[in-house]
Amino acid sequence: MNNKTITTFAKWQVKQGNLEAVISLLKEAVAKSSVEEGNLKYEVYQGNDNENILMLFEEYTNQEALEFHRNSAHFQDIVVGKIVPLLENRDVIISSLLDF
């Protein structure tokens, strides 16, 4: 069992003409994900130079909480099923803080 806090950084490039749809769907995903047990933070940022760039910053108590989130019905339905097809590109980095 991994008890380190897990941080996810995701960069989404939204296909031209789909930004409103993605943001609308993302509002629902954030609302449902934020109340999951093990979710510590779920923030979304938008690029200043390119509004079609969205950055997601998420924190989970541990790897199991992240896996619960990624396997949840709302993540699979909203993010995987509805948002991902509207994206040009999606980069996700799953990380843990280095303790110095």
Side-chain angles (χ1 to χ4, degrees):
M1 177 185 232
N2 181 353
N3 287 321
K4 280 187 135 184
T5 300
I6 302 295
T7 304
T8 299
F9 300 95
K11 179 182 177 185
W12 294 357
Q13 170 72 47
V14 179
K15 291 178 185 174
Q16 197 65 35
N18 290 303
L19 185 61
E20 281 187 37
V22 169
I23 289 175
S24 178
L25 290 163
L26 194 50
K27 285 178 184 177
E28 182 181 355
V30 170
K32 290 181 177 181
S33 298
S34 296
V35 296
E36 292 172 352
E37 185 174 339
N39 178 277
L40 301 173
K41 184 176 295 223
Y42 201 121
E43 297 177 339
V44 180
Y45 299 84
Q46 186 174 34
N48 289 342
D49 295 332
N50 182 346
E51 67 180 5
N52 287 321
I53 298 287
L54 300 177
M55 302 289 296
L56 286 70
F57 174 65
E58 307 167 41
E59 283 186 334
Y60 299 91
T61 53
N62 54 35
Q63 184 66 37
E64 290 74 22
L66 174 61
E67 289 172 14
F68 176 84
H69 166 68
R70 297 186 99 191
N71 291 316
S72 69
H74 61 269
F75 179 85
Q76 291 298 315
D77 176 50
I78 301 168
V79 177
V80 176
K82 296 176 182 171
I83 294 177
V84 170
L86 303 176
L87 303 179
E88 189 75 36
N89 191 22
R90 176 178 175 234
D91 294 317
V92 178
I93 299 170
I94 298 171
S95 59
S96 296
L97 182 66
L98 290 175
D99 295 322
F100 293 115

